[in-house]
Amino acid sequence: MKGTVLIIDDEKQLRGLLKRIIELEDYTVWEVGDLKSAWKILENQAIQVVLSDVKLPDGNGVDFTQKFKEKFPSLEIIVMTAYGTIQDGIKAMKNGAFDYLVKGDDNEKILPMLSLAMDKVQNQSQSVQPKNQGFEKVLGKSKQIKEVISLAQKVAKTDTTVLLTGETGTGKEVFANAIHQESKRASQNFVAVNCATFSREILESELFGHKVGAFTGATKDKKGLFEEADGGTIFLDEIGEMSLDLQAKLLRVLETGTFIKVGDTKLIKVDVRIISATNRDLSKEANEGHFRSDLFYRLSVFQIALPPLRERKTDIEVLARFFAKDFAKKFNITIADLQEDFLEKLSNYDWQGNIRELRNVIERTIILNENGHLTVESLPIAIQFPAENLSSKTLNSFDLQSIEKQHIQKVLQHTKGNKTETARLLNIGLTTLYRKIEEYGIG
């Protein structure tokens, strides 16, 4: 499951609709109609994000935001305001809320905002990463990946800043952690933060910490991630998303090893190695004025470009077997050996999402094959029939509607007819699933 959510709203119908929508995204959801009930849930369940209405039968959601945060500091709260009460949302944010939504007008923003709030909670709780086995965690035997590993091993022994570049899903955090584990700092913390997850204000507080009273809701001193990483390594993922003023503060850390907490005047000195990563062309961004050129030069002393999975085809089988074994253990399933036709389909696919996409496909395939036989038919249609390989014969033999019908039937069989779970696995809306069931006459 992605995380735990509590909905507080006295409109039962709206509450129920929100619950169904959010559950389809693989969250665990509780729902209540008043603040008294909300306190009971919060005291007995590990809630991570709250969606709260403002006008409630026994109080005001804006006023209670600060009380919730005081008792549950790691909790993130999204306030849902009615039309014409945006000032309530602004006040709620001053009280410590993550953000606010205008009810009825911002429906399409609920899930993205919920995802950002959940990422913030989970990044806070998991910012210090456990040790691993260095480059043993980097899987592959291709020439491309071996060359990259060789470069990373050489720079690991130094304190040089490293910039990892490459497409999303190519394993940049795995490489950053491996560099740390093979460095002289291996016994100290490795701290990772995704700069794209937070707003400018929140990211500054996360990185550098703040003093009590620095802003509304800052009820105690907060230690920043640079302090957590003192003596070790900090990994700044998606560095290209950092605002220009924060870039200036980061540059000061690189040049002097010092920074100032939000709301403080005292210099703090740290000894931290910085590894950053991006899927952007930072040189171009710097030339266009979107990224500080002086910071770019400091971050990119040693650049390592990670190859996309489609350029290291021989590694697909190695990764697929590893993920299959890992998920089989997780789901307590004994799997048969991966067949040649199954591996061939994986090898012929383009993998725009790289290693992350392959991992998700293997997880899905194992869920759909409880008998342990991973079949071509259980792969997503785009992998079964890559567009560039479709011949007229293939199209005549396997029309899209027949393939889709068979796939829906297979997933329904796996979920024992649970249409909500089926829609989630198919990554479609519940109403779309019902329409297709009726269209194809699926019993």
Side-chain angles (χ1 to χ4, degrees):
M1 302 298 286
K2 289 182 179 177
T4 52
V5 180
L6 172 64
I7 301 168
I8 313 171
D9 199 306
D10 59 342
E11 294 182 45
K12 188 175 181 180
Q13 188 174 0
L14 175 61
R15 199 170 71 225
L17 176 62
L18 274 176
K19 183 175 187 289
R20 289 194 296 275
I21 290 171
I22 294 170
E23 282 180 334
L24 285 173
E25 295 297 314
D26 205 23
Y27 294 99
T28 299
V29 185
W30 280 266
E31 43 140 334
V32 295
D34 55 64
L35 292 165
K36 182 179 179 182
S37 302
W39 278 111
K40 289 181 181 178
I41 296 289
L42 289 168
E43 287 170 349
N44 292 287
Q45 303 292 339
I47 301 297
Q48 293 168 297
V49 178
V50 169
L51 284 167
S52 177
D53 192 14
V54 174
K55 309 290 185 184
L56 293 162
D58 54 347
N60 184 290
V62 173
D63 296 334
F64 268 80
T65 295
Q66 189 168 357
K67 295 178 182 178
F68 284 149
K69 289 288 289 184
E70 285 174 357
K71 187 163 185 180
F72 308 100
S74 63
L75 186 71
E76 292 301 332
I77 302 165
I78 299 170
V79 171
M80 301 181 292
T81 78
Y83 287 111
T85 58
I86 294 177
Q87 62 269 25
D88 285 335
I90 296 171
K91 182 181 176 184
M93 291 186 71
K94 289 180 178 178
N95 285 352
F98 179 80
D99 213 329
Y100 69 92
L101 291 164
V102 179
K103 290 173 71 174
D105 195 32
D106 283 349
N107 290 338
E108 75 282 0
K109 297 180 182 178
I110 290 174
L111 292 177
M113 190 176 291
L114 174 60
S115 177
L116 287 174
M118 189 64 70
D119 282 346
K120 180 171 185 278
V121 174
Q122 294 172 351
N123 278 342
Q124 283 179 318
S125 63
Q126 300 172 5
S127 61
V128 180
Q129 303 294 318
K131 292 179 175 60
N132 62 23
Q133 295 78 42
F135 289 99
E136 292 176 19
K137 292 284 285 185
V138 180
L139 301 177
K141 56 185 180 181
S142 66
K143 177 184 176 182
Q144 293 90 333
I145 203 66
K146 285 181 178 178
E147 288 176 350
V148 171
I149 290 172
S150 177
L151 283 173
Q153 285 176 321
K154 288 174 182 176
V155 78
K157 297 177 176 63
T158 73
D159 259 349
T160 302
T161 57
V162 179
L163 177 64
L164 301 171
T165 62
E167 297 175 7
T168 299
T170 48
K172 293 188 281 290
E173 184 167 346
V174 173
F175 261 87
N177 203 330
I179 290 169
H180 170 75
Q181 295 303 330
E182 294 204 5
S183 75
K184 63 185 180 182
R185 298 173 179 268
S187 62
Q188 303 299 316
N189 286 337
F190 172 79
V191 178
V193 59
N194 188 322
C195 299
T197 302
F198 306 105
S199 68
R200 179 245 175 261
E201 293 77 11
I202 294 173
L203 181 59
E204 182 177 18
S205 176
E206 291 297 312
L207 291 176
F208 305 111
H210 62 248
K211 293 291 290 182
V212 60
F215 48 83
T216 304
T219 56
K220 59 182 179 180
D221 288 358
K222 174 182 172 63
K223 193 176 184 180
L225 296 180
F226 268 98
E227 286 182 273
E228 292 282 358
D230 192 18
T233 304
I234 190 165
F235 173 56
L236 303 174
D237 199 5
E238 303 294 352
I239 188 71
E241 306 299 324
M242 184 179 285
S243 65
L244 288 169
D245 53 342
L246 273 188
Q247 289 176 33
K249 200 164 183 176
L250 175 59
L251 182 62
R252 180 173 185 171
V253 178
L254 278 163
E255 291 178 339
T256 68
T258 62
F259 64 89
I260 299 174
K261 283 187 176 184
V262 179
D264 200 2
T265 57
K266 178 184 175 184
L267 274 177
I268 295 175
K269 190 167 183 64
V270 289
D271 172 23
V272 178
R273 183 189 196 167
I274 296 175
I275 302 176
S276 55
T278 183
N279 56 16
R280 293 188 177 194
D281 182 345
L282 285 192
S283 177
K284 181 181 177 183
E285 296 277 311
N287 288 335
E288 294 176 352
H290 304 309
F291 196 87
R292 291 185 63 114
S293 57
D294 47 2
L295 178 61
F296 168 65
Y297 296 131
R298 291 300 299 265
L299 292 174
S300 60
V301 173
F302 199 98
Q303 283 194 54
I304 301 177
L306 302 190
L309 190 54
R310 60 185 172 276
E311 292 180 6
R312 41 184 290 217
K313 292 279 190 180
T314 55
D315 294 337
I316 292 175
E317 179 176 343
V318 176
L319 290 161
R321 290 187 184 280
F322 172 80
F323 292 140
K325 182 179 179 181
D326 191 44
F327 285 117
K329 182 179 179 182
K330 179 180 177 181
F331 300 135
N332 196 25
I333 296 172
T334 302
I335 61 167
D337 190 46
L338 277 64
Q339 300 299 308
E340 286 302 316
D341 59 344
F342 182 86
L343 291 170
E344 185 179 355
K345 289 294 183 184
L346 297 182
S347 181
N348 290 336
Y349 185 60
D350 201 29
W351 299 110
Q352 291 297 315
N354 293 294
I355 300 169
R356 187 178 300 150
E357 184 183 6
L358 174 61
R359 183 180 185 275
N360 293 342
V361 165
I362 297 298
E363 179 181 12
R364 173 192 172 102
T365 304
I366 286 181
I367 290 172
L368 293 177
N369 289 274
E370 294 173 323
N371 60 5
H373 294 280
L374 305 188
T375 64
V376 169
E377 291 73 22
S378 62
L379 288 168
I381 292 170
I383 298 178
Q384 289 185 51
F385 306 101
E388 63 271 20
N389 295 335
L390 285 178
S391 65
S392 57
K393 181 179 178 181
T394 304
L395 289 171
N396 290 333
S397 304
F398 300 97
D399 67 277
L400 187 58
Q401 287 188 334
S402 297
I403 296 168
E404 187 173 56
K405 177 180 178 180
Q406 291 171 15
H407 193 57
I408 291 171
Q409 286 174 318
K410 189 172 185 67
V411 180
L412 279 166
Q413 183 179 9
H414 166 73
T415 63
K416 299 179 174 59
N418 185 323
K419 294 179 179 61
T420 300
E421 179 65 5
T422 298
R424 186 187 71 78
L425 288 171
L426 290 170
N427 197 27
I428 61 175
L430 191 57
T431 56
T432 301
L433 176 62
Y434 274 107
R435 177 171 56 77
K436 289 184 179 293
I437 288 172
E438 184 177 348
E439 178 183 342
Y440 296 142
I442 299 173

